[in-house]
Amino acid sequence: MSIESVNPWTGQVEYRYEWRSAAEVDATLQAAREAFPAWAALPLERRGELLKRAGEQLRARRDDIQRLMTAEMGKLRREALAEIEKCAGACDYYAGHAAAYLREQPIATEAASSYVAYEPIGCVFAVMPWNFPIWQVFRFLAPALMAGNVAVLKHAVNVPRCADAIKAALDAAGLPRGVFDVLHIDNGQAAEVIRDPRIAAVTLTGSERAGRSVAATAGSVLKKCVMELGGSDAFVVLDDADLDATVAAAVKSRFDNAGQTCIAAKRFVVVEAVAGEFVRRFVEAASKLRVGDPNDEATTLAPMARRDLRDELQRQVQASIAAGAKPLLGCEPDASYAGYPASILDGVAPGMPAYSEELFGPVAGILRAKDEADAVRLANDTTFGLGGSVWTRDRARGDRVARQLQCGAAFVNAIVRSDVRLPFGGCKRSGFGRELAEHGIREFTNIKSVYVA
């Protein structure tokens, strides 16, 4: 079966490829199995040298990789270049911090010696999405490799060349054969890979639906998995917020990457005292964004990654309007192949998709709260729990409210973002497990207690 990769700006098919055969899949898994013992035995310092070289290769190939990212999922050129640099930085970070994160921890007991060791477990199978086609991979890959694991990637079907570019960069960096490889396979083949005894664990970033399927398959064979799923982050604006800074952050958090970010602000929970002024400024600022060619530096809003995703977003918007939401800006597709303008819905309430579902595109929903307590209630009235932010001039107040948000990451006066120094992941239906920081590198290790009497 031939798979087509369509440029979301031009609508043209730019690349075709075939699913891997069963024999090719088997050869890839066998190579990973054979590579693991030697990679795990390699001194940590040497693994770090190779990972740093991988980062150097990403930087050296940045322009070529950027062009692939823009062609395959429509990312703005400047956003793609920043993403590549972030990945290279993650390689540097884990090369420098893995030793501390994986150091044996002595435990005081009555034994002559007792400690906790962190040992690699084998091959990690990664199922990754298209919205950050390089960063999502390195977010798991850099710590997994430094922990001594090997990895196989199934990337999203619309970014096959991005996956191959990652493989090429790691090969050029000198990683041994089998330590990292790519499988272009369908969902049925992916399920078989998960069940394969040569796979030790699974990590997925994607939708709740994908998470349910992959986690169920992994659970059926009792394999560790990390699930980083959807989000509908609350952006809580309190009555003492600095509106200049808050509105600027709101525009960036909602509309960067065409709004196709799991930790983007999606529900703007604004207390009534400042709601009118915030909404006025927000609409004014967002109205200046323009969809255009993502390779043009003048473009301020990328097209969506696929036309079917744009159509689904429009269905959610129309259903919300039919249920009583008020369109303040945009809310209709533009004339380009997969473009959708910056859009804002006011009066979002229960019973609307904009209230209860994730809107994975450039649409902001305004939820008006009576006061701080009501804002916290609205922020937590969701099945998702990935991130949330609080905006206030009072840091102590912001910290107090942030602690009440039911999410994996709460930021005060800052946009929610992934950071190699902080654990990343969610609660509720946003998934489980953590990536990044020391928590992420330990997810795919055997946390072993050793007791010597």
Side-chain angles (χ1 to χ4, degrees), residues 331-350:
C331 296
E332 289 289 344
D334 73 6
S336 64
Y337 178 76
Y340 201 94
S343 302
I344 299 175
L345 291 169
D346 198 1
V348 172

Side-chain angles (χ1 to χ4, degrees), residues 120-430:
I121 57 176
C123 183
V124 179
F125 180 52
V127 181
M128 292 289 113
W130 48 262
N131 58 330
F132 289 89
I134 310 299
W135 171 240
Q136 302 279 20
V137 176
F138 276 87
R139 203 167 70 191
F140 102 85
L141 186 61
L145 292 180
M146 282 305 298
N149 297 303
V150 298
V152 171
L153 168 67
K154 177 205 178 305
H155 220 326
V157 296
N158 56 326
V159 290
R161 289 177 292 172
C162 288
D164 292 341
I166 294 170
K167 170 82 164 86
L170 294 181
D171 285 349
L175 267 72
R177 177 180 179 274
V179 170
F180 174 78
D181 210 340
V182 172
L183 286 176
H184 297 297
I185 54 178
D186 63 20
N187 291 339
Q189 290 174 295
E192 289 304 311
V193 170
I194 294 170
R195 295 186 188 100
D196 192 289
R198 291 168 290 191
I199 294 297
V202 185
T203 183
L204 174 137
T205 298
S207 67
E208 181 183 341
R209 179 180 177 182
R212 288 179 182 274
S213 176
V214 169
T217 303
S220 72
V221 286
L222 298 177
K223 291 184 181 178
K224 172 69 181 288
C225 59
V226 169
M227 297 286 119
E228 198 274 277
L229 309 179
S232 188
D233 289 8
F235 186 103
V236 178
V237 183
L238 300 180
D239 54 13
D240 63 344
D242 176 345
L243 290 186
D244 288 339
T246 301
V247 169
V251 172
K252 182 174 179 59
S253 186
R254 176 63 287 204
F255 300 113
D256 274 8
N257 208 43
Q260 301 166 129
T261 307
C262 56
I263 50 172
K266 299 184 176 83
R267 296 176 301 125
F268 292 80
V269 182
V270 190
V271 296
E272 196 60 50
V274 294
E277 183 64 9
F278 171 83
V279 170
R280 183 189 69 77
R281 295 192 192 191
F282 190 28
V283 171
E284 180 183 5
S287 67
K288 298 175 182 178
L289 299 175
R290 293 289 181 270
V291 180
D293 182 346
N295 275 307
D296 186 341
E297 291 294 344
T299 297
T300 49
L301 185 64
M304 293 187 64
R306 298 199 315 260
R307 198 168 195 172
D308 63 306
L309 298 172
R310 184 189 73 173
D311 294 344
E312 171 59 18
L313 179 68
Q314 179 61 8
R315 182 200 66 76
Q316 293 173 300
V317 168
Q318 290 177 327
S320 297
I321 293 171
K326 181 180 179 181
L328 301 182
L329 181 68
C331 296
E332 289 289 344
D334 73 6
S336 64
Y337 178 76
Y340 201 94
S343 302
I344 299 175
L345 291 169
D346 198 1
V348 172
M352 303 176 185
Y355 187 92
S356 59
E357 299 176 9
E358 178 180 27
L359 270 59
F360 208 67
V363 180
I366 307 296
L367 288 67
R368 297 182 181 238
K370 298 174 184 176
D371 52 25
E372 177 187 306
D374 193 41
V376 171
R377 179 189 67 80
L378 288 170
N380 289 334
D381 189 24
T382 174
T383 59
F384 297 105
L386 195 53
S389 61
V390 183
W391 300 83
T392 171
R393 283 188 170 90
D394 185 337
R395 291 180 180 175
R397 183 187 190 191
D399 182 73
R400 185 182 70 248
V401 173
R403 287 173 179 269
Q404 296 175 64
L405 299 183
Q406 298 166 359
C407 57
F411 283 54
V412 179
N413 295 331
I415 295 170
V416 179
R417 64 186 186 277
S418 56
D419 185 318
V420 289
R421 300 166 297 181
L422 299 170
F424 184 85
C427 61
K428 299 197 273 190
R429 292 186 180 179
S430 288

